[in-house]
């Protein structure tokens, strides 16, 4: 059967990178992009507001998707500014999409969960797959609900929803906004532009992070895995590389020795402090062979190389 893949929330940080990967794996004609915002995309694209069921129906009728990647959400920091909208988009919007997937007989659905599902009662180191989930943000609460809806739709209707708990994702294409882990991308952009970076998290805030190519690889690997390999339909823990702002600063300074960071923690520090420091992803490794490729140094080198091209600047060789 010819695949028709619908990416919802395609204009965002992960969506723009995922579109390229899906086009490479399938074809531009097969990959349909939807978002509430305008999308810069050469393939078929649609305006869609997931909080409005009629808007979801209109796009599903046009595309008749075989696979759906549901990325649309309000992230952690923005989420606290309008908690009702966050719930409407992240939970009600996702529910609308799920029931459309059931009714239009979509074969496979991807749902991005997050390390924000964890909270102060979760073990902070090597966080297990099954563990207390008592998040302190509406974003985290909404993603726990999303995980439960994913599991429910599979158990009740056989909808094949697959899900990852992404760590903080770092990519070079766009500067993200609205998240707590955004500091890492911002730090790279400041470094390449020769600016001092004012970091909104404390220097010692360790968090699970992941370079975009690993996040995309995990997403496609999970979606392509044969059905019998998938043992859970809420979020699989996946780990990339864990670091604190001070480690990223030092890693960038190996390439740009003059780079400076000032630490001015704000309200986002409170959010980050409730999350975990490292993840046990042994279930994903066992089930579908997950293994990350990028550590902090390799990611730093690759990010700076891409940003250098983007800004047409030059970066000194690393100091060994
Ligand atoms: P993003 O904020 O860059 O993109 C989200 C997209 O959703 C935006 O383009 C936005 O316009 C769209 N959107 C918002 N409301 C909508 C609505 N009502 N209808 C249709 N579209 C709407 O986020 P991202 O970083 O690309 O994250 C994608 C997904 O991955 C999200 O679900 C997020 O929770 C999850 N996630 C991201 C990270 C990360 O570090 N980026 C980490 C963990 C999980
Ligand atoms: C955020 O910081 O809100 C996201 C996430 C970890 O879900 N990057």
């Amino acid at each position: 059967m010819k695949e028709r893949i619908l990416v919802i929330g395609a204009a965002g940080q992960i969506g723009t990178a995922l579109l390229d990967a899906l086009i490479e794996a399938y074809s531009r004609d097969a990959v349909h992009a939807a978002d509430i915002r305008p999308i810069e995309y050469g393939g078929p694209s649609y305006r869609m507001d997931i909080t409005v069921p009629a808007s979801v129906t209109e796009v599903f009728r046009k595309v008749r998707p075989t696979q759906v990647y549901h990325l649309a959400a309000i992230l952690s920091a923005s989420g606290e500014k309008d908690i009702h909208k966050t719930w409407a988009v992240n939970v009600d919007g996702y529910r609308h999409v799920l029931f459309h997937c059931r009714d239009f007989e979509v074969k496979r659905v991807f749902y991005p969960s997050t390390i924000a599902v964890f909270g102060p009662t979760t073990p902070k180191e090597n966080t297990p797959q099954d563990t207390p989930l008592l998040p302190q943000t509406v974003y985290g609460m909404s993603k726990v609900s999303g995980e439960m809806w994913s599991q429910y739709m599979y158990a009740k209707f056989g909808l094949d929803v697959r899900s990852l708990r992404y760590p903080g994702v770092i990519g070079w294409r766009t500067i993200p906004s609205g998240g707590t882990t955004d500091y890492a991308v911002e730090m790279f952009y400041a470094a390449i532009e020769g600016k001092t970076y004012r970091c909104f998290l404390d220097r010692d805030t360790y968090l699970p992070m992941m370079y975009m190519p690993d996040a995309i690889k995990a997403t496609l690997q999970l979606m392509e895995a044969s059905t019998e390999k998938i043992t859970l339909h809420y979020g699989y823990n996946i780990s990339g590389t864990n670091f604190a702002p001070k480690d990223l600063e030092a890693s960038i300074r190996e390439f740009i020795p003059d780079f400076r960071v000032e630490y001015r923690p704000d309200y986002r520090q409170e959010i980050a402090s409730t999350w975990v420091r490292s993840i046990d992803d042994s279930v994903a490794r066992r089930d579908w062979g997950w293994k990350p490729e990028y550590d902090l140094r390799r990611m730093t080198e690759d990010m700076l190389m891409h940003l250098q091209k983007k800004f047409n600047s030059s970066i000194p060789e690393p100091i060994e």
Side-chain angles (χ1 to χ4, degrees):
M1 185 206 269
K2 198 167 165 254
E3 295 287 351
R4 288 180 306 280
I5 299 158
L6 177 60
V7 181
I8 303 173
Q13 190 205 8
I14 297 177
T16 45
L18 184 63
L19 285 178
D20 284 351
L22 287 169
I23 290 165
E24 208 178 310
Y26 298 89
S27 71
R28 191 172 289 276
D29 288 350
V31 182
H32 300 250
D35 204 291
I36 198 168
R37 292 190 281 162
I39 309 167
E40 282 177 32
Y41 174 54
S45 65
Y46 313 84
R47 287 292 275 277
M48 179 204 264
D49 180 350
I50 58 167
T51 62
V52 179
S55 168
V56 181
T57 308
E58 194 185 327
V59 176
F60 270 70
R61 279 208 184 117
K62 283 184 183 148
V63 179
R64 304 234 158 235
T66 56
Q67 292 182 46
V68 169
Y69 289 76
H70 176 77
L71 303 178
I74 311 285
L75 274 66
S76 57
S78 300
E80 290 306 292
K81 294 189 176 141
D82 190 342
I83 56 179
H84 301 290
K85 181 176 172 194
T86 303
W87 195 260
V89 173
N90 294 8
V91 184
D92 297 333
Y94 180 43
R95 200 166 40 80
H96 297 149
V97 169
L98 279 174
F99 279 92
H100 279 77
C101 289
R102 181 197 66 172
D103 296 346
F104 282 77
E105 297 178 357
V106 172
K107 280 193 308 185
R108 222 161 258 186
V109 183
F110 176 73
Y111 177 69
S113 188
T114 163
I115 53 164
V117 295
F118 303 127
T121 56
T122 311
K124 285 215 176 276
E125 301 289 352
N126 218 19
T127 304
Q129 177 66 49
D130 290 317
T131 190
L133 301 180
L134 286 172
Q136 302 291 291
T137 60
V138 171
Y139 173 65
M141 287 157 55
S142 73
K143 288 290 180 173
V144 173
S145 299
E147 288 199 7
M148 293 171 79
W149 271 106
S150 303
Q151 176 68 29
Y152 179 85
M153 294 302 281
Y154 172 72
K156 187 93 177 176
F157 304 113
L159 184 66
D160 188 358
V161 189
R162 300 178 178 199
S163 175
L164 297 172
R165 289 175 180 154
Y166 285 136
V169 178
I170 299 157
W172 56 268
R173 278 184 174 76
T174 52
I175 303 191
S177 71
T180 302
T181 58
D182 295 353
Y183 86 84
V185 181
E186 291 177 2
M187 197 185 281
F188 276 111
Y189 270 76
I192 211 83
E193 289 169 349
K195 295 178 182 160
T196 296
Y197 178 58
R198 185 176 285 186
C199 185
F200 57 76
L201 294 188
D202 186 70
R203 64 178 67 237
D204 293 311
T205 312
Y206 278 91
L207 289 171
M209 306 291 280
M210 179 173 281
Y211 193 33
M212 186 69 82
D214 272 339
I216 299 298
K217 185 179 87 158
T219 307
L220 296 187
Q221 212 176 322
L222 175 70
M223 287 294 272
E224 284 160 10
S226 53
T227 312
E228 68 279 3
K229 290 194 170 149
I230 305 301
T231 61
L232 53 92
H233 291 265
Y234 51 99
Y236 272 102
N237 275 6
I238 50 166
S239 178
T241 169
N242 314 310
F243 57 82
K246 67 176 181 194
D247 303 322
L248 182 58
E249 178 190 355
S251 185
I252 293 174
R253 216 181 275 147
E254 283 184 40
F255 297 85
I256 305 175
D258 292 342
F259 178 53
R260 292 285 171 271
V261 179
E262 287 171 10
Y263 291 92
R264 304 272 174 84
D266 66 15
Y267 67 100
R268 288 166 281 194
Q269 180 62 43
E270 262 180 58
I271 298 176
S273 302
T274 66
W275 293 351
V276 302
R277 294 160 63 102
S278 63
I279 301 283
D280 173 1
D281 60 3
S282 52
V283 179
R285 287 174 186 257
R286 180 201 69 196
D287 282 5
W288 43 275
W290 165 242
K291 193 166 178 272
E293 279 176 31
Y294 287 85
D295 59 13
L296 176 57
R297 186 182 163 97
R298 193 163 166 223
M299 175 189 79
T300 304
E301 199 169 1
D302 201 68
M303 275 291 282
L304 291 174
M305 188 265 290
H306 281 290
L307 289 176
Q308 182 185 9
K309 275 194 202 152
K310 183 170 172 166
F311 289 99
N312 206 10
S313 61
S314 64
I315 300 165
E317 287 297 305
I319 303 158
E320 295 298 339

